[in-house]
């Protein structure tokens, strides 16, 4: 079923690209990814965020400074070692992410509304598998940025 999987993957990737192209451009994709990571996994060291986002540490420092200036993230001291600084998403950052997700979902909902009933029912039937894909994607990302050991 590799050909079928390839086709599904290509379509899902295309739909993701549609949602990304139509998104609010207030924040860069990397900034949104960092906030999402922090929301999903909890506070992280700046160096871990740089590795997970595949950017340099100076770039991540500048991005985190931007996010903190906007009130979307904050720096905290690690409880076990005051020398370690963790970055955490703020409530405002979580609200921003929810708004962005709702706007993206609205874009896709609008497209789904153009489908006929049979296609809509097919998508609804696929929902459990799509939700499991989201879970699997979260699990693979969670393992990339461990918390500091102490």
């Amino acid at each position: 079923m590799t050909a079928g999987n390839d086709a599904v993957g290509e379509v899902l990737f295309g739909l993701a690209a549609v949602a990304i192209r139509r998104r609010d451009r207030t924040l860069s994709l990397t900034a949104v990814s960092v906030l999402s990571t922090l929301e999903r996994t909890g506070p992280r060291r700046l160096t871990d965020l740089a590795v997970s986002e595949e950017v340099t540490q100076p770039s991540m420092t500048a991005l985190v400074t931007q996010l903190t200036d906007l009130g979307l993230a904050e720096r905290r001291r690690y409880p076990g070692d005051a020398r370690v600084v963790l970055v955490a998403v703020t409530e405002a950052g979580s609200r921003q992410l929810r708004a962005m997700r709702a706007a993206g979902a609205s874009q896709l909902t609008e497209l789904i509304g153009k489908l006929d009933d049979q296609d809509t029912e097919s998508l609804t039937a696929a929902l459990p598998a799509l939700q499991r894909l989201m879970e699997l994607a979260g699990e693979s990302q969670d393992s990339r940025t461990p918390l500091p050991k102490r």
Side-chain angles (χ1 to χ4, degrees), residues 15-80:
L15 285 171
V18 166
I20 289 168
R21 277 195 308 274
R22 295 180 181 182
R23 74 181 181 82
D24 175 7
R25 306 289 178 145
T26 305
L27 297 174
S28 69
L29 289 175
T30 304
V32 173
S33 180
V34 167
L35 288 176
S36 295
T37 296
L38 294 172
E39 184 180 59
R40 188 181 65 258
T41 65
R44 292 282 177 234
R45 292 191 315 190
L46 201 135
T47 53
D48 293 337
L49 287 171
V51 168
S52 72
E53 297 300 324
E54 299 178 357
V55 299
T56 65
Q57 188 165 341
S59 293
M60 185 56 66
T61 299
L63 179 60
V64 167
T65 298
Q66 176 193 24
L67 292 172
T68 57
D69 289 348
L70 293 170
L72 304 176
E74 64 185 8
R75 288 179 169 94
R76 299 178 180 168
R77 293 287 175 200
Y78 183 63

Side-chain angles (χ1 to χ4, degrees), residues 5-19 108 123 126 129-130 133:
N5 289 351
D6 288 345
V8 170
E10 287 179 25
V11 169
L12 290 175
F13 186 81
L15 285 171
V18 166
L108 294 175
L123 281 177
L130 293 170
L133 279 176

Side-chain angles (χ1 to χ4, degrees), residues 40 101 127-141:
R40 188 181 65 258
R101 289 177 187 131
L127 191 55
L130 293 170
Q131 289 170 327
R132 181 65 185 134
L133 279 176
M134 287 292 295
E135 291 170 8
L136 291 171
E139 290 169 7
S140 66
Q141 289 177 340

Side-chain angles (χ1 to χ4, degrees), residues 79-94:
D81 185 346
R83 298 171 298 175
V84 176
V85 176
L86 299 177
V87 180
V89 66
T90 62
E91 181 54 39
S94 291

